Amino acid sequence: MFQQQLVNHLPYLMALDKSKDLESIGYYLSEHLKVAGGYWTINAIACLNKLDEISQEKKQQLSKWLKECQNQDGGFGGNTNHDSHITNTHYAILLSFLLGCELDYAAAAKYVAARQRQDGSFEGDQWGEVDARFSYCGLSSLTLLNKRDLIDIKKAASYIKKCRNFDGSFGGIPDAESHGAYVFCCVGTLYLCEDLTFNIDELSMWIHERQTSKGGLNGRPEKLADVCYSWWMYSALCLLKREQWINQQALENYILECQDNVGGIADRPNNQPDVFHTFFGLAALSLLNGDKYQLNPIDPAFALPKSILINIPGASRFIQS
């Protein structure tokens, strides 16, 4: 049944901490995602303006665990005893600001900066995979830590522009297929590089064409809509100041339709909710009509509450008004 209002998602989010079935294969299959899952969960709660519902004791427990996820190379794994990766390091930095805890930021900054290659791209870890996602993680992390001087910003922007395709959109590497998630990564990177010198209208039209008859956005042509693209692509439109290029009300309605009656948001209507789509659905609603739902304003470049970003020296100047 179509939901006209925002469901109370707090009980669903708070209960995630209790779902630790050590005999479940699902627990171990997601073991490497604990830092990411912590970010999605805590940020979703922050989006609901309910961070004070998390006890100080729980915040201290999470902060202690997060510090234990940092490795000797300065990077963070997805959980304790996991190898470092730039995406998990980025998630850890974001989560630390949400929890209000201090990490070894100097070591983390050095780890992230060391991931930049000569051509301006970023590798994910010591094994050398290159992807536009990692460029965004690098720029976002070092901007938040006020350590942008450790990398070559111009080369970073130049590489991302090579990922732009004939259709006006972006892929994960040069000549790769355009994809909605990479729109956020590439536009976010270029925004933080302060270099949006490409055909913005051409990309905005590509995003416009991703809106389906159901109101949701798909990531590629002929694919089904998915709530997560509500964030990946609408946030990019916000950064490009082209929000009106899609039917905003239809997108808002689609996200509401993907809610579960007892909390949580799924990728599509009537599917099982999960924390990933719950956070990105709420974050998109925050951009679309946050005041209506009393949501904490989320910044489209950093995917953090503006109320937190305003106190971070390296990031505050990038906050959209």
Side-chain angles (χ1 to χ4, degrees):
M1 181 180 294
F2 173 62
Q3 295 283 351
Q4 296 288 344
Q5 300 296 326
L6 191 67
V7 171
N8 181 9
H9 296 290
L10 186 61
Y12 167 81
L13 293 165
M14 297 295 283
L16 290 172
D17 184 54
K18 301 180 177 65
S19 57
K20 295 180 179 178
D21 182 1
L22 298 184
E23 296 182 0
S24 167
I25 185 64
Y27 179 83
Y28 295 99
L29 288 174
S30 62
E31 182 185 359
H32 65 295
L33 292 171
K34 297 307 180 188
V35 171
Y39 161 75
W40 298 327
T41 304
I42 303 301
N43 211 5
I45 294 171
C47 195
L48 294 171
N49 280 302
K50 296 294 183 181
L51 273 182
D52 56 353
E53 295 287 334
I54 305 174
S55 69
Q56 196 60 36
E57 180 184 7
K58 172 54 66 177
K59 288 180 181 178
Q60 290 173 353
Q61 290 175 354
L62 288 170
S63 298
K64 180 177 181 295
W65 162 76
L66 186 60
K67 291 176 182 179
E68 292 171 352
C69 293
Q70 190 167 23
N71 296 312
Q72 289 186 349
D73 59 9
F76 286 76
N79 202 342
T80 53
N81 302 315
H82 281 244
D83 291 342
S84 297
H85 196 282
I86 196 169
T87 55
N88 292 315
T89 303
H90 180 226
Y91 278 132
I93 292 167
L94 295 171
L95 183 54
S96 73
F97 286 118
L98 287 162
L99 293 172
C101 70
E102 286 286 333
L103 305 175
D104 187 346
Y105 290 134
K110 288 181 180 178
Y111 173 82
V112 171
R115 304 276 71 77
Q116 189 176 36
R117 296 157 62 105
Q118 283 298 316
D119 64 354
S121 65
F122 282 75
E123 58 189 14
D125 54 23
Q126 62 177 320
W127 310 114
E129 180 190 7
V130 172
D131 192 287
R133 290 173 297 160
F134 310 151
S135 294
Y136 170 74
C137 290
L139 263 295
S140 176
S141 296
L142 295 176
T143 300
L144 288 165
L145 298 181
N146 208 16
K147 293 290 185 180
R148 292 160 60 89
D149 59 305
L150 296 179
I151 58 171
D152 191 319
I153 300 288
K154 289 185 177 180
K155 279 190 175 181
S158 176
Y159 176 78
I160 290 298
K161 288 181 180 179
K162 294 175 183 176
C163 297
R164 188 167 174 269
N165 290 316
F166 69 93
D167 57 12
S169 191
F170 292 90
I173 56 176
D175 301 319
E177 180 185 11
S178 294
H179 193 283
Y182 286 113
V183 168
F184 169 79
C185 296
C186 293
V187 171
T189 300
L190 292 174
Y191 176 81
L192 294 175
C193 287
E194 300 178 278
D195 186 1
L196 292 175
T197 56
F198 63 92
N199 193 326
I200 290 174
D201 286 350
E202 196 171 42
L203 172 60
S204 300
M205 179 55 69
W206 188 89
I207 297 174
H208 167 81
E209 292 173 345
R210 300 281 64 76
Q211 189 159 35
T212 69
S213 59
K214 296 183 181 296
L217 300 171
N218 61 24
R220 291 175 289 166
E222 305 302 323
K223 297 294 184 178
L224 296 175
D226 187 316
V227 157
C228 66
Y229 297 119
S230 305
W231 169 264
W232 301 129
M233 289 189 281
Y234 187 70
S235 62
L237 289 177
C238 291
L239 292 174
L240 300 174
K241 301 190 183 301
R242 297 293 190 277
E243 300 97 315
Q244 303 294 333
W245 282 50
I246 63 167
N247 186 329
Q248 296 162 290
Q249 185 61 61
L251 180 59
E252 180 182 333
N253 291 345
Y254 179 79
I255 298 171
L256 294 175
E257 192 175 358
C258 293
Q259 296 180 109
D260 191 283
N261 288 334
V262 296
I265 300 175
D267 56 347
R268 300 181 185 97
N270 303 315
N271 282 1
Q272 188 76 14
D274 60 77
V275 65
F276 175 86
H277 290 94
T278 299
F279 166 63
F280 286 113
L282 289 172
L285 284 175
S286 153
L287 296 179
L288 285 159
N289 207 346
D291 289 344
K292 176 181 178 181
Y293 302 109
Q294 298 181 312
L295 295 175
N296 200 358
I298 301 295
D299 184 79
F302 295 102
L304 276 177
K306 293 182 178 181
S307 56
I308 290 176
L309 287 169
I310 198 169
N311 296 312
I312 302 175
S316 58
R317 71 184 180 92
F318 289 96
I319 300 175
Q320 280 213 328
S321 57

